[in-house]
Amino acid sequence: MTTQSCLVIVLAAGEGTRMKSAVPKVLHEVGNRPMVAHVLELAREIGGDRRAAVIGPDATALGAAIGAADPEVTVYLQNDRLGTAHAVLAAREALSAPAGHVLVLYGDTPLMTAATLTRLRAALDDGADIAVLGFEAEDPTGYGRLIVDGERLLAIREHKDASDAERAIKFCNSGVLGFRGTLLPDLLDRIGNDNAKNEYYLTDAVALVAGEGGRVVAIAGDEEEFLGVNTRADLARAEAVFQARRRAAAMAGGATLAAPDTVFFSHDTVLGRDVVIGQNVVFGPGVTVDDGAVIKPFSHLEGCRVRARAAIGPYARLRTGADIGDGARIGNFVELKNASVETGAKVNHLAYVGDARVGANANVGAGTITCNYDGFLKHHTDIGAGAFIGSNSALVAPVRIGDNAIVAAGSVIVTDVPGEALAVARCRQNTIDGRADDIRRLKQAEKTARASTEKK
Ligand code: UD1
Ligand code: MG
């Protein structure tokens, strides 16, 4: 990769009114991460050692979210929305420092890839003054058209300013432009706003530099990468592309997806080898699944770790802080939160385990609940290694069940149970021989009496 330093400016001052949202457009999420965070991550990945974002006025929340996504970003305000060149100039302070390359990206275009942007950087390394990423548009309406002469890019004509002949061109500007840094900001200062939109077009830099004999090149990428999000429908399309890529990457990395189209990943999902994922599985943020684990159909996971060879589901819900040990088993309709289930332990059916540890090889029976919340505070439950918790028990936290202890089914446990002990906490059973038939006769008589009253 290049040794030149690189300033990346992300334009995020778009109003996004077509989203009809209280949330700034670029904070809408793809793969459970704001679009602008995808772009900033990409900027870092391609070696953008200095990163800046330009946002609109009254965008305090946006500025804070950008800072949270990437603390090294300098945020600049563009108070009036006067065009893309004007937006870049809002970061004038960053431009005045010596910079090798300056790349301009849009914050609402989350699907660009490092491979394509690296090709743009390579063109600058090879001596281009400006390099532009273009694509063949299926429908070029609205885009700036790239006017080329062989290898050379002569101008970018915005749709509204283009002649009919120019509008027939399908090679379009993606919006991603790279500059030899020393050209800026003087070049931007020379751009006027004498055009159909009365905006300062960043794209006018191309004709200025090309007209003075500078080297301006267009690099072709794939249209899909440059999908800009303006509406909720665009957002759904971006999500679909993101998911398709993640599914392909999961399979290429050695995971089996029984029905790829029904599995949904987050931007940060980590899968080991030989992981098997069944149909209709959803990964929220922060999930790591180690080698050989199986996630059975209809499971929902977020903020959790599933260790090697563990089996989850079907129909399991792993919430934040769940840590499932090697070979452990979590079965159907089990919810776990902030709970570690150690090696070989089993929580197989219909249980809630929250704020707890389940020791190695322990068995938590069907219907068991850790009562972790008293209406005010959360409390911890500790289940020792090899313990057996009978079905339908309520473990009222804080409480400890010692190693190898047994809790009888249906118990409500409110005090600690020592290791190796048996705890029974329920009413003693009373069995009366022959009483069943008495009850049946009694009930039949009651039913007959009621039927005859209703007839009258
Ligand atoms: C722009 C390009 C066009 C390209 C298209 C690709 C210009 C003049 N035109 O057109 O060649 O084909 O993108 O999608 O650059 N922005 C600001 N401040 C402003 C104006 C815009 O931050 O004052 C930001 C917007 O938030 C957006 C980006 O710049 O992310 C592009 O602006 P937009 O108005 O969408 O430009 P287009 O007309 O789509
Ligand atoms: Mg646009």
Side-chain angles (χ1 to χ4, degrees), residues 25 81 106 108-109 142-143 197 228-230:
K25 178 170 78 172
R81 197 175 186 283
Y106 296 163
D108 62 1
T109 310
Y143 289 117
K197 287 166 89 177
V229 172
N230 292 311

Side-chain angles (χ1 to χ4, degrees), residues 444-456:
Q444 186 55 57
E446 204 178 316
K447 191 173 175 182
T448 311
R450 185 179 295 185
S452 75
T453 334
E454 279 165 5
K455 257 186 221 155
K456 286 174 194 161

